[in-house]
Amino acid sequence: MQEYLQATEFIESNHPDVLAFVDQHMSGEDELSKVLSLYYAVRDQIFYDPFTADLKEQGFKASHLLEVQRGWCVPKAILLAACCRAIGVPARLGFADVTNHLSTEKMRQAMETDVFYWHGYTSIYLQGKWVKATPAFNIELCTKFGLKPLEFNGVDDSLYHEFDQAGNRHMEYLNERGEYADLPYDELIADFHKYYPKMSALYGLSFDEEVALEVQ
């Protein structure tokens, strides 16, 4: 279990900015309450924004996400893992391939697929077992897209939005890639270059403006 408690290159659980974030947002007396407060802080205080995806190593680090305050599922999962390790709770990174209908026109054009490879989540060791938490989509974004915010109770796995509020299928789980003590950076980047060769066209665009066009 020790490897899931250590600070790493990406899961910077000993970084001053991570510790400050934990100190600011953690509440409750028991371990479960503390983890839940940190989950909701990462989910809602850091806005989901795939257009800010920086595929250089620095772009995945927990401290970088806190600096820019916007990110996508993988760095948000990394930040949550860092917060958990900072308070002595074992955490690791999990990845799966999913179909995802939370997208915009420019994203669909650039990705040329509705499959999100390497969708990231955090696996946390609580009350004697590993449970999965996905802090990717902040509550404001869910409201705009008509999704129920993804809740986490620390007991049951919380992986993805299977249906939207109207009952339409939203996300579908395709393939489990496993769980890791740190980000498998080289493998992830190789697949992104393979499956998303046009994604760089999105960088620098406004995700908020694209969302507004999508949901109008």
Side-chain angles (χ1 to χ4, degrees):
M1 200 66 73
Q2 188 60 34
E3 66 178 329
Y4 304 122
L5 287 167
Q6 295 176 348
T8 68
E9 178 183 3
F10 298 98
I11 306 175
E12 304 168 295
S13 53
N14 58 358
H15 193 284
D17 292 346
V18 172
L19 297 177
F21 182 86
V22 169
D23 184 60
Q24 179 181 359
H25 295 289
M26 185 179 67
S27 62
E29 297 298 325
D30 60 284
E31 182 176 89
L32 177 59
S33 297
K34 292 175 181 178
V35 168
L36 293 182
S37 66
L38 293 171
Y39 166 82
Y40 285 103
V42 174
R43 189 192 77 174
D44 294 332
Q45 299 301 318
I46 309 294
F47 278 30
Y48 177 78
D49 187 343
F51 290 9
T52 61
D54 180 351
L55 299 185
K56 298 186 292 294
E57 292 185 21
Q58 179 65 26
F60 288 89
K61 295 185 177 184
S63 59
H64 176 77
L65 184 60
L66 290 174
E67 179 182 348
V68 299
Q69 292 289 302
R70 300 176 77 91
W72 50 298
C73 61
V74 174
K76 291 190 72 172
I78 289 171
L79 175 58
L80 180 56
C83 290
C84 290
R85 292 186 186 184
I87 63 169
V89 176
R92 56 196 185 192
L93 303 176
F95 300 94
D97 301 333
V98 300
T99 57
N100 181 10
H101 300 289
L102 195 157
S103 184
T104 70
E105 182 59 32
K106 284 189 171 63
M107 281 185 71
R108 290 187 287 272
Q109 292 174 1
M111 292 177 63
E112 298 182 320
T113 178
D114 64 353
V115 177
F116 283 60
Y117 296 97
W118 291 91
H119 178 60
Y121 63 88
T122 312
S123 187
I124 308 168
Y125 194 74
L126 286 168
Q127 302 180 109
K129 68 174 184 177
W130 290 99
V131 287
K132 297 171 176 139
T134 310
F137 303 140
N138 55 286
I139 191 169
E140 290 91 344
L141 185 66
C142 290
T143 300
K144 290 177 182 178
F145 272 94
L147 293 174
K148 294 180 180 178
L150 199 55
E151 307 296 343
F152 179 55
N153 61 14
V155 177
D156 304 302
D157 289 340
S158 179
L159 269 176
Y160 58 94
H161 303 76
E162 188 171 6
F163 299 97
D164 63 18
Q165 290 185 349
N168 301 311
R169 181 168 290 281
H170 180 69
M171 294 179 74
E172 184 177 0
Y173 186 101
L174 301 176
N175 175 50
E176 171 66 55
R177 288 186 173 268
E179 298 184 351
Y180 302 79
D182 199 11
L183 177 70
Y185 176 79
D186 292 338
E187 188 177 354
L188 182 151
I189 291 300
D191 277 346
F192 268 52
H193 288 320
K194 175 183 177 181
Y195 293 117
Y196 307 131
K198 299 180 180 178
M199 280 291 283
S200 60
L202 297 176
Y203 304 154
L205 299 180
S206 171
F207 183 62
D208 293 339
E209 291 179 3
E210 277 288 292
V211 169
L213 291 173
E214 190 71 21
V215 300
Q216 68 181 4

